[in-house]
Amino acid sequence: MCIAVPGQIIDISNKEATVNIMDVETIVNIQLISEPKVGEYVLVHAGCAIEKLDKVYFNDLSNIFKVFFDKGVSIDE
Amino acid sequence: MNKELIRHLIKEINIMASKEIKIMEVCGTHTQMISKLGIRSVLSPNIKLLSGPGCPVCVTEEKYIDTAIEMLNNYDVTIATFGDLLRVKGTKNCLLDKKSRGKNVIIVHSPLDLINIAKDDKKRKIIFLGVGFETTAPIIALTIRTAFEKEINNLFFLTSIKLMSPILHYILKQPENQIQGLICPGHVASIKGASYFEFIAEDYNIPAAVCGFEALDILGGIHYLVKQIIDNENKSFKNLYKRCVRTQGNPIANHLIEEVFQISHGVWRGIGKVENSFLTIKKKYRNFDADNNFEVKIESQRHISKCACSDILLGNKTPRECELFDRVCNPFSPYGPCMVSTEGACAIAYKYWEEMYNG
Ligand code: SF4
């Protein structure tokens, strides 16, 4: 339940944003981050954006979640 | 994945690990990634990676679950909770038992969803089970403040919100503690700031690092810690995850935590009372505190159990060292809390069925 997932803001309406999280559009509260903008990347936990992310980190985190769903991944080639 | 660099890090770590080194990680996502990537299997058996008390469900006291169940039994209320908490047992039952017997238990993915649910049905009294660490605390605080501003009077909060730094102090002060290095939880650090964990090196002379979740991040973190442990010099703290974690954290979230909550003592499952380790609702918002609105009497019972969760959470044992692991306890029929949550050390060890080093 502590899991936080990366997403990209695609629309903002007042205190909420539509965020694309792994290709699913989700409504997310954006009151915990300052000056959110469309196009920015955020870390989402329990329905709330808790931090902004830069693109590099967004990509890293997105890969991690792909790893979670990919059964075969291991660093032991 | 930078395979060259990864190979190089593994090789260096294994050369350095000429004696046993115990490193604790305190974040469910780290625990999952370490198992998922098979990191233990490529490192020397001398490197012992232990999971600490970072799974909020695993450290939720029996009395808290009993209290929620008593509120359901005695009052006409709906209990709203994160799904993970449903199967955690109190002294006898879990909330799922109650739900399957027709009691009103709903699962939400965010407490903020309850604002509209409460507004739409003013006759329905809803109690949200607010558990979590510093990462979840600002979201629960935001929900409480929003309920206050919108003058909602049918939404209540039974909280068990815990703080990471007091429990780490507690673990590191244990005389039997053998932790030599700490991988700090990245998401707590995003809220509190990297500086929140500087005390580990300063107060205990134990190296600590905030690191990311990729193979390279985790191995880089382990390399940093192992190098300091064997060099025997003054141990330091490093934020290896600057691209996400700022030194001072998220000021809006921290302000909100301070506005709604105060620091109190609290009991951790399998561990006991830890001073100043809980966040409880401040007087200004006490109308939203379920404890103030729904009186129930629950005796704290000493729960005698063969479950080794407490030793696992303190870094003294690994899941496989529990005599019930896979014999009596598995994710389909969890005996202890570490097997319930997907972030629990036992559930992760079971899922990935890894050889837990020489455990
Ligand atoms: S295997 Fe089950 S009983 Fe043993 S420590 Fe883990 S959760 Fe507790």
Side-chain angles (χ1 to χ4, degrees):
Chain A
M1 58 152 287
C2 252
I3 218 120
V5 290
Q8 185 176 28
I9 299 177
I10 51 178
D11 192 23
I12 292 178
S13 162
N14 198 9
K15 293 169 182 170
E16 291 180 335
T18 306
V19 176
N20 181 333
I21 301 173
M22 287 178 276
D23 293 330
V24 179
E25 290 188 8
T26 313
I27 303 295
V28 163
N29 188 294
I30 44 173
Q31 281 172 275
L32 296 182
I33 51 172
S34 65
E35 299 171 27
K37 293 181 194 72
V38 170
E40 285 186 320
Y41 301 101
V42 286
L43 189 61
V44 179
H45 170 62
C48 236
I50 56 169
E51 194 57 286
K52 286 188 186 177
L53 306 173
D54 67 22
K55 183 149 195 233
V56 177
Y57 182 50
F58 170 81
N59 288 335
D60 284 359
L61 264 189
S62 301
N63 285 335
I64 287 163
F65 284 95
K66 279 189 201 124
V67 169
F68 270 142
F69 295 113
D70 177 0
K71 285 205 162 68
V73 174
S74 157
I75 54 170
D76 190 14
E77 300 152 86
Chain B
M1 208 182 277
N2 187 336
K3 288 197 170 158
E4 266 313 298
L5 195 50
I6 285 176
R7 258 190 233 115
H8 175 74
L9 282 172
I10 293 170
K11 198 172 152 204
E12 285 220 332
I13 293 170
N14 289 342
I15 290 170
M16 288 191 285
S18 56
K19 57 176 185 173
E20 189 178 272
I21 291 174
K22 289 190 171 172
I23 293 173
M24 178 180 267
E25 93 275 343
V26 210
C27 165
T29 310
H30 277 140
T31 309
Q32 290 199 35
M33 287 308 286
I34 287 169
S35 294
K36 175 93 192 173
L37 295 166
I39 284 183
R40 287 186 181 90
S41 68
V42 295
L43 293 182
S44 153
N46 275 343
I47 304 281
K48 316 281 193 200
L49 299 177
L50 302 160
S51 311
C55 157
V57 171
C58 305
V59 287
T60 299
E61 200 206 359
E62 290 91 339
K63 188 180 171 191
Y64 177 81
I65 302 292
D66 290 346
T67 303
I69 289 174
E70 272 310 283
M71 286 178 180
L72 257 183
N73 287 341
N74 298 354
Y75 298 92
D76 182 16
V77 292
T78 297
I79 293 280
T81 172
F82 293 127
D84 285 24
L85 217 53
L86 274 190
R87 295 197 303 152
V88 178
K89 275 204 164 67
T91 31
K92 286 194 195 88
N93 297 312
C94 64
L95 284 158
L96 190 60
D97 299 333
K98 293 282 151 187
K99 185 173 166 61
S100 46
R101 278 182 220 135
K103 289 286 185 188
N104 273 323
V105 180
I106 58 170
I107 296 170
V108 285
H109 90 284
S110 172
L112 287 157
D113 295 345
L114 295 169
I115 296 288
N116 283 337
I117 297 175
K119 257 195 336 197
D120 290 347
D121 186 356
K122 292 194 172 60
K123 287 204 185 105
R124 185 182 196 185
K125 289 184 176 171
I126 303 167
I127 300 172
F128 175 68
L129 304 188
V131 300
F133 283 99
E134 290 91 332
T135 324
T136 319
I139 301 163
I140 300 171
L142 179 61
T143 314
I144 294 174
R145 197 186 65 183
T146 307
F148 179 83
E149 285 164 357
K150 293 187 186 284
E151 298 179 0
I152 290 172
N153 53 25
N154 56 329
L155 179 57
F156 307 91
F157 297 80
L158 182 65
T159 60
S160 180
I161 304 170
K162 298 177 180 70
L163 297 171
M164 197 51 89
S165 81
I167 192 66
L168 291 179
H169 274 292
Y170 181 90
I171 291 173
L172 298 175
K173 277 189 182 140
Q174 298 277 305
E176 61 274 28
N177 153 57
Q178 294 174 6
I179 307 299
Q180 292 157 283
L182 257 153
I183 298 175
C184 305
H187 296 147
V188 169
S190 328
I191 299 289
K192 297 302 292 179
S195 58
Y196 190 55
F197 293 107
E198 280 169 2
F199 73 90
I200 299 167
E202 281 169 11
D203 296 357
Y204 300 95
N205 199 29
I206 287 175
V210 176
C211 57
F213 300 99
E214 287 212 85
L216 200 55
D217 292 318
I218 296 173
L219 286 166
I222 294 171
H223 185 275
Y224 172 80
L225 297 174
V226 171
K227 191 162 189 314
Q228 288 203 43
I229 292 163
I230 61 145
D231 277 355
N232 233 353
E233 58 194 27
N234 266 351
K235 313 292 191 272
S236 60
F237 165 83
K238 195 161 189 172
N239 177 10
L240 299 169
Y241 206 27
K242 290 209 176 93
R243 59 191 190 271
C244 173
V245 176
R246 290 178 282 174
T247 310
Q248 297 309 329
N250 178 334
I252 301 175
N254 285 313
H255 178 77
L256 205 53
I257 291 175
E258 266 174 43
E259 191 196 319
V260 176
F261 297 123
Q262 63 198 11
I263 293 176
S264 311
H265 306 322
V267 177
W268 296 58
R269 189 176 193 132
I271 295 174
K273 185 173 167 189
V274 180
E275 289 194 355
N276 299 321
S277 66
F278 271 48
L279 290 175
T280 52
I281 298 171
K282 274 186 177 169
K283 231 179 184 172
K284 178 178 174 188
Y285 297 101
R286 62 179 303 180
N287 287 349
F288 297 95
D289 192 338
D291 278 329
N292 276 329
N293 290 278
F294 306 98
E295 203 184 323
V296 290
K297 284 224 155 45
I298 305 281
E299 294 301 320
S300 239
Q301 293 184 19
R302 198 83 202 115
H303 196 56
I304 311 287
S305 159
K306 284 185 177 167
C307 169
C309 280
S310 53
D311 276 326
I312 291 170
L313 298 169
L314 294 170
N316 300 330
K317 272 190 181 169
T318 65
R320 284 187 168 223
E321 287 170 333
C322 170
E323 59 181 280
L324 305 185
F325 185 85
D326 191 36
R327 294 189 183 93
V328 176
C329 183
N330 61 56
F332 313 102
S333 174
Y335 184 85
C338 294
M339 194 59 96
V340 172
S341 167
T342 48
E343 288 167 45
C346 297
I348 292 171
Y350 187 94
K351 181 173 175 194
Y352 295 104
W353 205 245
E354 56 183 355
E355 286 306 316
M356 296 289 284
Y357 38 93
N358 6 332

